[in-house]
Amino acid sequence: NFRLLNKIPPEKTEILDKIKKFSCAKRPVSKKDFLSLISGCVEVLESEVTDYRKPVSISDEVPGGLVDFTGKKGFDVIVVPDLHARKELIYKLLSYGIDEKTGESVFERLCSGKLLIIFLGDILHSESDKKERWLKAYDEYSAGNALSEQMTEEMTDGLATLCQVMILKKAFPEIVHCLKGNHENIKNENSGGNFAFRKFVDEGSMVYDFMSEKYGDKIVNAIYKFELLLPVMASFDDFLISHAEPLKSYSKEEVIDSVIKSEVVYGLTWTRNGDVKTETAGTMFDSICKKNKIEKKYITGHRPVKGKFNLRQNGDVVQIHNPHVMQFAYIKNGDGFNPENDIYEL
Ligand SMILES: [Mn+2]
């Protein structure tokens, strides 16, 4: 509940209302609403060549893979781990009283422009809490029904989550960013750093077939475009963020050019625990972060953790995705990230 609701301008409360509706969606978004949401968001992303997002080296018009906030001051940062069709998470986050003294909510702070939100991606495909639903949907799918009741429920949740991310990106283009995860692969393709996905069943194909049958190529292609336009890393003075642990140590230029270098997309979205043979984060801190006395951290999701976080690379890398808990990292301006104190549960 908002204690300071009157501070939010009316056009912004409309945004919150829309997000609330999607957070309790009972059926999949309509074709018309969906297309308009995706187009609006793609338009924002296409024109995101800015001081914080440099273009790729071969074209001044194509936004690169890095959102770079090094050298910028005066804001807090929230990092949201993998969403995986958890449609309630974003509204809960926006309603959370982030200021212990005043009760100011995350949404109010966002409206004041003093807060950045970075999503770690993996928007679709619910995880083990919904395993039974996937198994039933797969039985139907194997019998030729791509639009079963179970699959419709799954996609209601997934698309409602996607719509909320798109609404926020369009409403707050400079301060809301969604990084690409390995699940941002609507066509379930095996190229450009993408690999077809299957875990409990054949999730990647099931989603693609559902989308093609229910929404058609135009919408599938629009989502595909959205995915290709997502950055793969965010950088700040004292921490770096990508969906997965960096497989190799990438230079700033390589990350910016990830759009045209599929091995960088792969190396920042797919890394399994144990894949990294020599430490990669430390070198990237040296070349991308600010040189000061604050301890650097590399924040990732992708691999599930028990409890609040898991450390890798001697504590340089902090994994924060717990599939069973809705939580987020909150880094106050200039303090650096301390996982012991800076992870909050919703
Ligand atoms: Mn992932």
Side-chain angles (χ1 to χ4, degrees):
N1 288 341
F2 295 108
R3 290 183 220 172
L4 302 169
L5 195 63
N6 55 357
K7 271 178 59 183
I8 302 175
E11 71 276 12
K12 298 282 197 240
T13 57
E14 274 172 35
I15 293 160
L16 199 58
D17 287 344
K18 279 187 199 162
I19 286 174
K20 187 178 184 182
K21 269 188 197 146
F22 278 117
S23 77
C24 40
K26 295 267 190 286
R27 58 188 71 82
V29 57
S30 77
K31 244 181 176 177
K32 186 168 162 269
D33 288 353
F34 199 18
L35 193 59
S36 117
L37 269 175
I38 309 168
S39 314
C41 186
V42 163
E43 208 174 291
V44 166
L45 285 165
E46 274 176 332
S47 60
E48 201 171 38
V49 174
T50 54
D51 64 331
Y52 59 81
R53 192 166 180 190
K54 297 275 179 289
V56 295
S57 59
I58 53 164
S59 164
D60 288 344
E61 282 163 26
V62 178
L66 176 69
V67 284
D68 181 5
F69 292 95
T70 55
K72 295 191 170 19
K73 290 193 186 317
F75 52 83
D76 301 335
V77 181
I78 281 179
V79 186
V80 185
D82 312 30
L83 288 164
H84 287 301
R86 294 185 288 179
K87 66 175 182 229
E88 307 84 6
L89 193 150
I90 292 176
Y91 185 70
K92 274 194 176 183
L93 172 71
L94 295 176
S95 311
Y96 187 86
I98 197 76
D99 190 313
E100 284 164 16
K101 285 185 197 138
T102 63
E104 187 182 41
S105 70
V106 167
F107 188 69
E108 287 167 319
R109 184 72 62 85
L110 195 64
C111 288
S112 75
K114 296 228 157 67
L115 175 74
L116 252 98
I117 297 183
I118 311 283
F119 290 100
L120 283 175
D122 277 8
I123 300 167
L124 300 183
H125 304 153
S126 58
E127 293 189 293
S128 59
D129 290 351
K130 304 284 183 192
K131 188 177 171 185
E132 284 305 308
R133 183 165 80 185
W134 276 118
L135 295 177
K136 284 180 191 152
Y138 186 66
D139 284 345
E140 294 274 340
Y141 180 74
S142 308
N145 183 9
L147 305 178
S148 65
E149 188 189 322
Q150 290 77 18
M151 200 56 199
T152 304
E153 271 180 33
E154 165 65 28
M155 294 311 294
T156 298
D157 294 350
L159 298 180
T161 312
L162 176 61
C163 288
Q164 293 174 73
V165 172
M166 288 177 169
I167 289 170
L168 280 177
K169 178 65 192 171
K170 170 113 163 68
F172 302 97
E174 298 97 353
I175 52 177
V176 171
H177 300 279
C178 180
L179 307 182
K180 186 189 181 302
N182 57 309
H183 289 256
E184 273 63 64
N185 180 12
I186 197 70
K187 292 190 178 177
N188 204 35
E189 62 177 16
N190 287 293
S191 61
N194 282 324
F195 289 93
F197 180 76
R198 56 179 307 152
K199 188 174 184 179
F200 309 124
V201 283
D202 197 0
E203 290 89 335
S205 303
M206 290 163 76
V207 167
Y208 178 58
D209 289 354
F210 179 96
M211 293 305 297
S212 304
E213 264 190 53
K214 180 159 177 67
Y215 291 98
D217 286 351
K218 194 173 176 189
I219 285 187
V220 171
N221 286 327
I223 298 175
Y224 183 73
K225 200 165 182 190
F226 161 80
E227 294 173 341
L228 288 179
L229 284 161
L230 294 176
V232 289
M233 180 186 278
S235 60
F236 296 85
D237 283 351
D238 308 310
F239 52 98
L240 300 174
I241 311 173
S242 64
H243 178 69
E245 184 182 357
L247 182 61
K248 294 183 179 156
S249 188
Y250 303 104
S251 69
K252 197 169 170 174
E253 291 69 29
E254 282 175 308
V255 178
I256 292 173
D257 272 350
S258 59
V259 179
I260 48 174
K261 283 188 176 137
S262 56
E263 70 272 18
V264 181
V265 175
Y266 172 73
L268 293 174
T269 56
W270 274 99
T271 320
R272 290 168 304 183
N273 290 346
D275 278 353
V276 177
K277 300 303 175 205
T278 52
E279 287 175 19
T280 54
T283 334
M284 294 180 76
F285 297 151
D286 290 344
S287 67
I288 303 176
C289 292
K290 189 173 179 177
K291 283 165 191 58
N292 60 18
K293 297 222 166 104
I294 295 176
E295 198 184 327
K296 312 298 181 219
K297 294 289 177 196
Y298 197 115
I299 306 170
T300 75
H302 187 54
R303 300 311 303 156
V305 303
K306 292 193 174 108
K308 285 185 170 182
F309 64 91
N310 180 47
L311 299 177
R312 307 195 61 79
Q313 302 198 20
N314 292 315
D316 282 353
V317 174
V318 188
Q319 298 170 315
I320 61 165
H321 172 49
N322 182 334
H324 308 294
V325 180
M326 293 194 196
Q327 62 181 20
F328 64 95
Y330 174 47
I331 303 128
K332 286 166 224 77
N333 180 31
D335 285 357
F337 175 50
N338 175 355
E340 294 286 350
N341 301 328
D342 298 343
I343 295 176
Y344 295 73
E345 192 176 325
L346 291 166

